Amino acid sequence: MEPLVLGIETSCDETGVGLVRGTTLLADAVASSVAEHARFGGVVPEVASRAHLEAMLPTVDRALSEAGVRLADVDGIAVTAGPGLAGALLVGVAAAKAYAMALDKPLYGVNHLAAHVAVDQLEHGPLPQPCLALLVSGGHSSLLLVPDVTADVQPLGATIDDAAGEAFDKVARVLGLPFPGGPHIDRVARDGDPAAIDFPRGLTGPRDAVYDFSFSGLKTAVARWVEAREQAGETVPVATVAAAFQEAVVDVLTRKAVAACRDHGVLDLVIGGGVAANSRLRAVAEQRCAAAGIRLRVPRPKLCTDNGAMVAALGAELIARDRPASALDLPTDPSLPITEVLVGAPGLS
Ligand code: KG4
Ligand code: ZN
């Protein structure tokens, strides 16, 4: 039987614990502290760390009972070592070290972004090599070329200011919608005309970095547009603004992802991160990929947002490929570069 891997994720506001055997998902338990951050309009790091501490053991127990296995059955432990919130990462890594020590099993400190890509294996089978990945969430917006998710992940571009999800959350706030705003914008935008307002598409000029993103100008343009209506005493057409804003984000994300595939001769695109749950992004990506002859893989929404299954999925792949385990003094790294898929293993620089 393939090894059973426990995956632990605590880089932001989700305490995720997953159990994976090979590419089979056995359990995906998540405890989110998002409600505790709602009144601040964003994730408060100290609040997130405390919530991880409280949720860690109950979430591990929940995952074990969901999978119908015992802790003693676990063959390896994978944990997010970065990037993410410093204090939050420490909670997960400390827990993973304790499990690895107590069970005397190998520990793998992994990159959160690579895990977002690897998770697709649980839904669509082995990742094509190479594939291209578009990761869009509240914390990151990246385009990655992935020849090998366990050892070779190359950054092509990233946001130079706000992450895509952050832009959704900030615009939602301007429109008076609750935090996190992405799902609310997605919902209200269904009743709006996306072509009614032509919001700016960041970094799409002839001299701009082709694979980088910028959403802060768009966010400001939306805020100004809304402000002008309010000052004129007009009602703000929330559905229209939401639809036009969403269209601007989706247009840029899909255009750049398809261009990156074409430029690198890659025929498979994986989309992950919380924003991958966006219905318009999924629809436009499907259309544009079909037109360009690219196969699109988008995991179901629960696997797109932060979770432990993605970490276990990457851990299982590292074990399957005989990669060395991390040392027990494995460090966390809040700004871990994507080029480091595995952290703290002997022989790695
Ligand atoms: O991956 P995730 O759960 O956490 C990280 O930020 O790492 O992503 C959360 C982000 C939030 O900004 C949220 O507003 C956005 O994903 N989001 C969406 C949708 N669902 C979640 N954005 C647009 N449309 C959605 N349906
Ligand atoms: Zn994430």
Side-chain angles (χ1 to χ4, degrees), residues 15-194:
T15 312
V17 179
L19 282 158
V20 164
R21 197 184 282 287
T23 57
T24 306
L25 175 62
L26 302 180
D28 179 17
V30 175
S32 175
S33 61
V34 69
E36 294 175 53
H37 309 287
R39 69 192 169 101
F40 301 104
V43 175
V44 183
E46 291 80 0
V47 173
S49 306
R50 172 54 59 109
H52 286 310
L53 209 51
E54 287 165 0
M56 182 54 66
L57 297 183
T59 312
V60 170
D61 286 344
R62 199 146 54 81
L64 291 168
S65 71
E66 211 179 283
V69 298
R70 294 166 313 143
L71 208 43
D73 300 328
V74 168
D75 299 303
I77 295 113
V79 62
T80 298
L85 302 171
L89 288 168
L90 281 173
V91 179
V93 169
K97 286 176 179 175
Y99 284 121
M101 235 170 142
L103 300 170
D104 195 20
K105 297 293 175 188
L107 172 68
Y108 299 83
V110 304
N111 191 302
H112 178 83
L113 298 176
H116 266 303
V117 182
V119 74
D120 187 61
Q121 301 209 136
L122 302 179
E123 189 153 339
H124 299 116
L127 278 175
Q129 292 189 313
C131 63
L132 212 126
L134 170 67
L135 298 185
V136 274
S137 75
H140 28 81
S141 307
S142 310
L143 264 178
L144 310 169
L145 177 63
V146 189
D148 174 353
V149 75
T150 64
D152 186 9
V153 180
Q154 302 168 15
L156 297 179
T159 180
I160 59 164
D161 41 54
D162 293 346
E166 204 179 342
F168 270 94
D169 296 338
K170 288 177 177 169
V171 164
R173 198 171 183 174
V174 166
L175 294 175
L177 300 168
F179 174 84
H184 298 282
I185 294 210
D186 194 347
R187 180 175 42 81
V188 302
R190 288 185 192 142
D191 301 320
D193 173 8

Side-chain angles (χ1 to χ4, degrees), residues 9 11-12 112-113 116 137-140 273-274 304-307 310:
E9 154 63 37
S11 69
C12 191
H112 178 83
L113 298 176
H116 266 303
S137 75
H140 28 81
C304 285
T305 52
D306 289 352
N307 63 77
M310 66 190 212

